[in-house]
Amino acid sequence: MIKIGTTLAAIGFAACAMAQNVSHQFDVNTSKLGATVQPTMYGIFFEDINYAADGGLYGELVKNRSFEFPDHYMGWNTFGNIQLKNDGPFNKNPHYVRLGYSGHSDKFTGLENEGFFGIGYEKDAEYRFSVWARVPDGGEATVRVMLCDPKTMDERQQFSEANIKVDSKEWKKYEVVIKASKTVDKGSLRLMLGRNSANVDLEHVSLFPKDTWNGHENGMRKDLAQALYDLHPGVFRFPGGCIVEGTDLATRYQWKNTVGPVENRPLNENRWHYTFDYRFFPDYFQSYGLGFYEYFLLSEEIGAEPLPVLNVGLSCEYQNGSNRSDKHVAVNQLQPYIDDVLDLIEFANGDPAKNSWAKLRAEMGHPEPFNLKFVAIGNEQWGEIYPENLKPFVEQVRKKYPNIKIIGSSGPNSEGKDFDYLWPEMRKLGADLVDEHFYRPESWFLASGDRYDNYQRKGPKVFAGEYACHGRGKKWNHFEAALLEAAFLTGVERNADVVEMATYAPLFAHVDGWQWRPDMIWYDNLRSFRTCSYYVQQMYMHNTGSNVLSLTMGGKPVAGKEGQDGLFASAVYEKSTNEVIVKVVNTGDKAQDITLNLKGLKGSHTGSVTTYSADNMDGENTLDNPEKYVPHTKSISVNGATLSVSVPAKTFALYKIKK
Ligand code: AHR
């Protein structure tokens, strides 16, 4: 434990002892509670971009498991006598394959799946293989299920194997658990028809790690879900993003297709497959295995308020412009879209005895309501059509569900024509929150600490629904970006009476399959790492506080354009733990001496200081060095009302003092 008294004390920072500066006086009023900080203040935004769902958070290891991709064998190699059929047991996924005798006893029939950039197998981990199958002409068939390492120099490519016996003319689900005897990061799954087998039909070929997040079947990859849980996010926005809009209305995200039995959720395209010709992924589709039920359940399990985004009758305006009438729905045709919102509220909150969507939720395993409180209608919309379309949604949701908060959009930019047009429109419509998006360079983050200081205090609140510092000079997820996000967030926190939610974006990226960066969490098939931005978010999420405390320097907020002497700061009080939490970001090149005058504090107090810094502003965490830059926490004790510290250059420091 480090003791801090009324004079400047070393707290373990190298620069501290050397500091010659005049101490900056920060006045924190710990006795007067300011605005409530909403528990939703810091959250996460999930979109199936960068192989975030299929190939990422969703635990399924087989790509194109139902043979529904437009190229029905994409992801598969087939050999021997194999036929594609389309009258299968699942009407929304009618395709399946028939495996038959190849014509020669030494020639094999079967197929092999390449997974998403390969299949990752971990030695001694168990994998649950399942398939829907039948022997259409009777008899018995053996299907050999092999975990393979196709590129190995070992004698055998398959390193673990199990058999399933299919002996029914009716479609049935067969399952076997296989233990991997080897770690392979780019393996495959091979299925072979056994010798002397009858013809066999296979549909919905699936392989999951047995050990998914919370042990759910059809579950999530554990390390990635764990990373979300470890954040303690206040809100969880899903499922997008642009995929909500779709390139065409036909390919928009339709939540009703994502619930019910997983085998019968129809495939949708993923617009991120072709959005950039320089990051082109023709095998990127949405299986909807991770659907709205799974998102609600995940929200509950990570302790975040669910915040679904629904289509407002507009397809992606980036791709189509905002005035093409064939790409948006006329106001008098919007009812099915509005019904999607109303039915979703029932799916989440309704009584299973009274509503069929609520009944489906109960059948899927969750009779209790999910307690949905927010819906966002429209993603990143702009132009006059948006408020016109939004109006009937607002009217009908308000009438039926007056307690549900409605979130509208302010367009794709943090300022400018569309933004200036939409904010007043959202006010007129009575939106509860307005979603702002800003992917901006370092200079913007450094100059925007006071962004919310002069916002109107009445009317809709702000939801900073997508933001991230995008480095100039091809820098992504470098420490400096995270530091400037931390600086910017002090201004968000100070204005908690205006800003009620903020979610960094995007959340996930596969190192082999990204379309957009920076992102908060990266992974390959076996490993993952949390970026510097992740740790900044985590510091905020773990220290949200319940009320803002006034923190000033020379009577002014410590922010403004570029901070004061490069310093940004905010303070909150947390009722449940009776703690004062002060966040200080030193964006400057030299250490800064600070005296925290904690008005209202008497006697001695325990506490902690967490610091986040890096030896190199361009430094970043990587798969090979995932914890290169992580925050460090030390105990402190404070005597009286003054805490004097030196905050090293380029450091985010967080002081927590038990009151
Ligand atoms: O987060 C990536 C994309 O950025 C989102 O899909 C969209 O809303 C925004 O343009």
Side-chain angles (χ1 to χ4, degrees):
M1 161 142 349
I2 295 146
K3 298 254 178 212
I4 298 187
T6 49
T7 53
L8 180 68
I11 54 168
F13 306 130
C16 178
M18 304 301 294
Q20 298 293 315
N21 304 327
V22 176
S23 193
H24 297 84
Q25 302 293 314
F26 281 10
D27 298 314
V28 184
N29 188 343
T30 74
S31 330
K32 191 165 169 232
L33 299 189
T36 301
V37 185
Q38 296 303 321
T40 51
M41 182 60 132
Y42 307 110
I44 51 177
F45 161 51
F46 179 91
E47 175 168 24
D48 190 2
I49 182 173
N50 306 320
Y51 291 82
D54 295 287
L57 182 62
Y58 185 43
E60 176 63 85
L61 298 168
V62 174
K63 180 168 70 191
N64 190 13
R65 63 187 173 188
S66 294
F67 309 99
E68 296 300 336
F69 282 21
D71 169 354
H72 294 283
Y73 284 132
M74 188 175 254
W76 295 96
N77 277 326
T78 61
F79 43 91
N81 173 9
I82 182 159
Q83 286 170 269
L84 182 75
K85 307 285 231 176
N86 69 357
D87 57 349
F90 307 113
N91 64 332
K92 293 181 188 160
N93 288 320
H95 291 89
Y96 63 96
V97 289
R98 176 162 299 170
L99 275 57
Y101 178 54
S102 69
H104 192 290
S105 59
D106 282 344
K107 221 166 138 189
F108 300 110
T109 287
L111 65 170
E112 179 164 8
N113 193 272
E114 65 186 19
F116 301 90
F117 315 102
I119 296 180
Y121 294 112
E122 203 108 46
K123 186 172 184 309
D124 293 334
E126 292 184 308
Y127 294 85
R128 191 192 302 277
F129 172 83
S130 67
V131 64
W132 284 77
R134 67 172 181 181
V135 277
D137 312 315
E140 188 178 271
T142 301
V143 179
R144 298 172 62 195
V145 183
M146 305 174 205
L147 312 188
C148 292
D149 179 4
K151 300 218 174 84
T152 187
M153 296 297 281
D154 295 351
E155 192 173 307
R156 297 168 71 81
Q157 294 170 329
Q158 70 265 41
F159 51 87
S160 299
E161 179 168 349
N163 287 344
I164 56 167
K165 295 244 179 272
V166 182
D167 55 5
S168 168
K169 280 177 134 180
E170 304 305 317
W171 284 102
K172 277 188 359 196
K173 187 176 177 180
Y174 295 82
E175 200 174 285
V176 66
V177 171
I178 310 174
K179 189 187 237 188
S181 61
K182 183 175 169 182
T183 294
V184 177
D185 65 343
K186 289 188 185 291
S188 68
L189 172 73
R190 191 177 288 162
L191 306 180
M192 266 187 197
L193 187 63
R195 284 180 200 277
N196 305 317
S197 282
N199 290 347
V200 68
D201 292 341
L202 304 180
E203 160 66 310
H204 197 88
V205 182
S206 170
L207 185 73
F208 274 79
K210 199 173 157 214
D211 190 17
T212 54
W213 163 255
N214 278 348
H216 297 301
E217 281 192 35
N218 194 49
M220 299 187 197
R221 189 173 141 171
K222 206 173 174 183
D223 58 331
L224 300 185
Q226 184 68 42
L228 302 185
Y229 178 82
D230 290 346
L231 282 168
H232 302 174
V235 65
F236 179 42
R237 177 182 185 241
F238 58 87
C242 290
I243 65 165
V244 168
E245 299 159 71
T247 298
D248 309 286
L249 287 163
T251 58
R252 72 190 189 276
Y253 193 99
Q254 297 189 56
W255 74 266
K256 288 175 178 167
N257 287 338
T258 75
V259 292
V262 72
E263 296 84 358
N264 209 20
R265 300 182 191 174
L267 186 84
N268 194 6
E269 72 163 40
N270 189 321
R271 48 152 290 157
W272 294 108
H273 128 188
Y274 51 76
T275 301
F276 305 116
D277 60 1
Y278 52 89
R279 298 292 303 169
F280 188 64
F281 293 93
D283 66 348
Y284 197 4
F285 289 84
Q286 300 179 76
S287 73
Y288 286 153
L290 196 56
F292 262 39
Y293 177 82
E294 289 76 21
Y295 289 133
F296 277 116
L297 194 61
L298 181 65
S299 304
E300 186 172 88
E301 291 180 348
I302 61 177
E305 293 293 346
L307 196 179
V309 186
L310 287 104
N311 189 294
V312 68
L314 291 169
S315 60
C316 178
E317 294 183 70
Y318 265 117
Q319 278 168 316
N320 304 309
S322 41
N323 286 314
R324 273 183 59 183
S325 56
D326 60 328
K327 297 290 178 188
H328 68 261
V329 182
V331 175
N332 63 5
Q333 305 288 310
L334 277 172
Q335 198 54 45
Y337 291 74
I338 300 172
D339 288 343
D340 278 353
V341 179
L342 304 176
D343 291 341
L344 179 66
I345 297 170
E346 288 296 334
F347 178 75
N349 294 351
D351 178 349
K354 295 189 182 146
N355 180 278
S356 59
W357 290 108
K359 184 164 173 270
L360 177 60
R361 181 194 75 232
E363 284 163 5
M364 290 182 77
H366 205 286
E368 312 77 34
F370 280 118
N371 204 11
L372 175 69
K373 300 188 180 86
F374 306 93
V375 288
I377 302 170
N379 167 43
E380 197 174 71
Q381 318 302 158
W382 65 89
E384 286 170 15
I385 296 171
Y386 175 52
E388 271 168 36
N389 273 22
L390 184 58
K391 191 163 180 260
F393 283 82
V394 174
E395 286 165 355
Q396 292 195 38
V397 173
R398 288 274 184 257
K399 194 162 166 210
K400 231 175 147 189
Y401 306 102
N403 295 329
I404 292 284
K405 291 199 171 174
I406 298 174
I407 299 173
S409 166
S410 62
N413 294 307
S414 49
E415 49 272 307
K417 190 169 117 297
D418 297 319
F419 183 88
D420 292 343
Y421 166 69
L422 278 175
W423 252 102
E425 291 296 318
M426 293 303 110
R427 247 176 235 292
K428 263 193 255 162
L429 284 174
D432 295 292
L433 292 110
V434 178
D435 185 5
E436 299 187 348
H437 293 183
F438 34 90
Y439 297 104
R440 293 286 183 263
E442 292 96 334
S443 53
W444 186 94
F445 275 85
L446 194 56
S448 301
D450 59 352
R451 175 178 175 85
Y452 296 113
D453 289 3
N454 298 314
Y455 263 52
Q456 282 189 42
R457 289 359 241 184
K458 292 222 167 80
K461 303 295 178 192
V462 174
F463 170 33
E466 291 184 30
Y467 71 93
C469 176
H470 282 210
R472 287 276 178 244
K474 298 204 186 300
K475 290 188 207 159
W476 313 105
N477 288 122
H478 56 312
F479 180 82
E480 188 180 19
L483 184 76
L484 297 178
E485 286 155 8
F488 171 76
L489 286 175
T490 61
V492 167
E493 184 159 283
R494 210 179 47 254
N495 288 288
D497 59 326
V498 169
V499 189
E500 295 197 343
M501 299 178 188
T503 55
Y504 177 98
L507 188 55
F508 283 125
H510 194 296
V511 291
D512 293 332
W514 61 269
Q515 297 84 43
W516 183 293
R517 59 182 181 177
D519 305 286
M520 213 206 282
I521 300 162
W522 287 80
Y523 46 88
D524 63 11
N525 290 340
L526 292 175
R527 302 170 298 167
S528 56
F529 74 90
R530 303 166 181 195
T531 60
C532 297
S533 292
Y534 174 98
Y535 286 109
V536 164
Q537 293 292 326
Q538 191 179 49
M539 283 171 73
Y540 272 91
M541 289 186 208
H542 287 199
N543 299 286
T544 305
S546 52
N547 293 82
V548 179
L549 295 176
S550 146
L551 185 156
T552 53
M553 180 171 135
K556 291 190 192 143
V558 187
K561 303 261 177 247
E562 315 223 341
Q564 291 197 36
D565 263 354
L567 290 168
F568 294 75
S570 56
V572 290
Y573 171 69
E574 174 51 53
K575 276 184 193 157
S576 63
T577 55
N578 194 22
E579 282 170 328
V580 174
I581 302 165
V582 180
K583 302 180 180 95
V584 183
V585 184
N586 181 3
T587 61
D589 290 330
K590 58 179 178 85
Q592 298 278 10
D593 295 342
I594 289 165
T595 302
L596 293 176
N597 299 311
L598 301 159
K599 194 174 150 202
L601 231 66
K602 291 193 188 92
S604 60
H605 306 268
T606 56
S608 63
V609 54
T610 302
T611 49
Y612 196 30
S613 56
D615 53 357
N616 173 5
M617 286 304 96
D618 291 347
E620 52 186 328
N621 293 334
T622 59
L623 281 175
D624 292 330
N625 201 349
E627 298 194 345
K628 186 164 185 193
Y629 301 110
V630 295
H632 295 283
T633 301
K634 291 177 177 176
S635 303
I636 55 173
S637 68
V638 184
N639 293 314
T642 311
L643 171 60
S644 294
V645 294
S646 176
V647 182
K650 308 280 190 195
T651 294
F652 176 20
L654 186 148
Y655 304 91
K656 213 145 87 164
I657 302 137
K658 199 112 188 141
K659 211 175 153 196

